[in-house]
Amino acid sequence: MSFLRLLRPIFLLCIFCFSAVSFAGPGLWQIKKNNHTSYLFGTIHVGDSSMSALPDSVIEALEKSNAVVVELDTTTLTPEYLQTHIYPLMTLPNSTSLSQRLKPELYQKLAKALLENGLSITQFEHIKPWAISINLTAMSYQRAGYLSSFGADMQVLGFAKKKQLEIIELESAKEQFGFFDQIDQDSNYLLSETLKSMEDAATYIHPLVSAWKAGDINKLTDYYHLSFDGSPLSQAAEKVILKDRNARWTTTLVPLLEKRSLFIAVGALHLPTEHGLIALFKKNGFEIKKLTKALNLFIR
């Protein structure tokens, strides 16, 4: 099986790009302009027990900052908010069921996969396919030994709250989940790809996390290009989840970075390529330097 086939966009997006789903990143970057120094940290939204504490270099950068910027502060999401605002986004229209949306053969494969995880497909009969894909992906992480509680973004949030630092959110939970409606152009294709990925998930989740731990942005960039391979799903996902969001975030962050010292913690895939935050900040006149102390972040 080719490595390209293994790198399904839905898996990388959930690992690197969404706080709401929940690597600490391809290193720590220093950003400077107008005598203000800030930091950019590419996070991973899941982790293992070796990632149970932030490294000293990250803590030092946090302590030098007067505010923390995250994609979304997930700690503020109450069950009531999720039930009122998020669950409706994940639910199919009343006149539609999952069995109507999926081809019979795929429906049966999904039923088998859910049953193997102790779930019945009847529980998902009125849930949108992209939401099921997210659940299946989370199950794959857990089986491979990775939990959102060890994710770097959650630890950054915990530190910020403990130190009573201002927390600036780039998006709302409703916005984040809404992105999936934009990329779910073919429900059958999306779920089919997710099920294929689950078969071999552990064989590439471990190398991806290792690359993240080592601060190897070149390898993560390679994974980026291998994943977004020109297929309809990957093109839509890259535009909606990465390119468009990076552009919006840059518009929001540039004026703040010119006046304040911020610690920015966002999914690692938002950093590389010509559409990434590093390149976009450079285009806006910022001096950016990778801090070597951030290499081998969790290897002690």
Side-chain angles (χ1 to χ4, degrees), residues 62 65-76 153-171 256 260 262-263 265:
L62 278 163
S65 307
N66 55 44
V68 171
V69 179
V70 293
E71 300 173 35
L72 172 71
D73 183 356
T74 55
T75 66
T76 64
D153 48 355
M154 292 298 292
Q155 295 185 57
V156 167
L157 278 168
F159 183 93
K161 289 180 181 292
K162 182 179 179 180
K163 297 294 184 178
Q164 298 183 321
L165 294 173
E166 179 187 357
I167 295 173
I168 300 171
E169 296 179 279
L170 293 169
E171 296 165 339
L256 297 176
R260 307 179 61 181
L262 305 177
F263 185 96

Side-chain angles (χ1 to χ4, degrees), residues 95-162:
S95 59
T96 307
S97 66
L98 188 65
S99 56
Q100 293 173 323
R101 291 281 297 269
L102 301 183
K103 295 177 181 178
E105 182 181 358
L106 178 58
Y107 187 82
Q108 293 304 317
K109 287 182 179 179
L110 175 61
K112 181 181 177 182
L114 290 169
L115 190 61
E116 290 172 350
N117 285 278
L119 299 168
S120 169
I121 198 168
T122 57
Q123 298 172 252
F124 296 86
E125 191 59 34
H126 297 288
I127 302 299
K128 291 179 179 179
W130 62 257
I132 299 174
S133 289
I134 291 175
N135 275 276
L136 292 172
T137 301
M139 294 174 196
S140 295
Y141 299 157
Q142 291 174 8
R143 284 199 303 273
Y146 296 101
L147 303 174
S148 61
S149 57
F150 291 132
D153 48 355
M154 292 298 292
Q155 295 185 57
V156 167
L157 278 168
F159 183 93
K161 289 180 181 292
K162 182 179 179 180

Side-chain angles (χ1 to χ4, degrees), residues 156-219:
V156 167
L157 278 168
F159 183 93
K161 289 180 181 292
K162 182 179 179 180
K163 297 294 184 178
Q164 298 183 321
L165 294 173
E166 179 187 357
I167 295 173
I168 300 171
E169 296 179 279
L170 293 169
E171 296 165 339
S172 69
K174 192 172 182 179
E175 283 179 294
Q176 286 204 348
F177 279 98
F179 295 139
F180 284 101
D181 273 331
Q182 298 180 52
I183 65 173
D184 189 7
Q185 302 167 346
D186 185 340
S187 299
N188 284 273
Y189 180 79
L190 178 64
L191 268 176
S192 177
E193 293 297 282
T194 302
L195 291 173
K196 289 175 184 176
S197 296
M198 290 181 66
E199 298 171 4
D200 305 283
T203 65
Y204 67 89
I205 292 176
H206 297 313
L208 285 170
V209 175
S210 295
W212 180 83
K213 286 182 180 181
D216 193 342
I217 194 169
N218 292 326
K219 185 168 288 186

